[in-house]
């Protein structure tokens, strides 16, 4: 298996920026729609987890194939708010 650690670490600032921009955008949209949330939490996948996923799914081009390197989770207070958000 190829060692992707150097490439991953060189891309980490980009992933961090994507996470921050997504958090900012979601906060903005939700405030505008007056939707309250319990939390909006972003994360950048740790390299160990990235590496394990490559092995588990046998990705050939992991930087192109793995779609959750940067992610944001929104926890709504009310299920009905999810419907309002999805309509945005």
């Amino acid at each position: 298996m190829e060692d992707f650690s150097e490439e991953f670490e060189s891309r980490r600032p980009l992933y961090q920026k994507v996470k921050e921009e997504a958090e900012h955008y979601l906060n903005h949209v939700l405030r505008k729609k007056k939707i309250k949330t319990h939390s909006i939490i972003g994360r950048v996948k740790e390299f160990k987890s990235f590496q394990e996923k490559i092995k588990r799914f046998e990705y050939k081009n992991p930087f192109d194939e793995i779609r959750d390197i940067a992610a944001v989770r929104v926890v709504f207070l009310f299920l009905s708010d999810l419907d309002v958000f999805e309509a945005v």
Side-chain angles (χ1 to χ4, degrees):
M1 171 154 180
E2 192 174 336
D3 181 17
F4 294 105
S5 61
E6 190 173 309
E7 178 75 16
F8 186 88
E9 291 306 321
S10 73
R11 293 178 182 219
R12 184 179 290 282
L14 174 63
Y15 300 142
Q16 184 67 30
K17 183 71 173 165
V18 167
K19 176 200 75 100
E20 290 168 4
E21 289 291 324
E23 287 172 326
H24 177 77
Y25 174 77
L26 288 167
N27 272 307
H28 173 75
V29 168
L30 293 168
R31 249 190 332 267
K32 188 175 180 181
K33 291 289 183 181
K34 295 181 172 63
I35 299 173
K36 294 181 181 178
T37 62
H38 176 271
S39 59
I40 299 175
I41 301 171
R43 64 106 179 110
V44 174
K45 186 179 284 297
E46 294 296 326
F47 177 71
K48 183 178 178 182
S49 177
F50 177 76
Q51 193 173 33
E52 289 168 356
K53 193 166 192 173
I54 294 170
K55 290 177 187 175
R56 192 169 57 248
F57 294 103
E58 299 179 3
Y59 289 118
K60 301 295 183 221
N61 300 301
F63 295 102
D64 295 332
E65 297 172 285
I66 297 177
R67 300 286 181 216
D68 67 340
I69 297 173
V72 178
R73 174 181 290 145
V74 179
V75 179
F76 292 94
L77 294 176
F78 304 101
L79 189 56
S80 59
D81 287 339
L82 178 60
D83 294 332
V84 174
F85 178 71
E86 287 179 339
V88 173

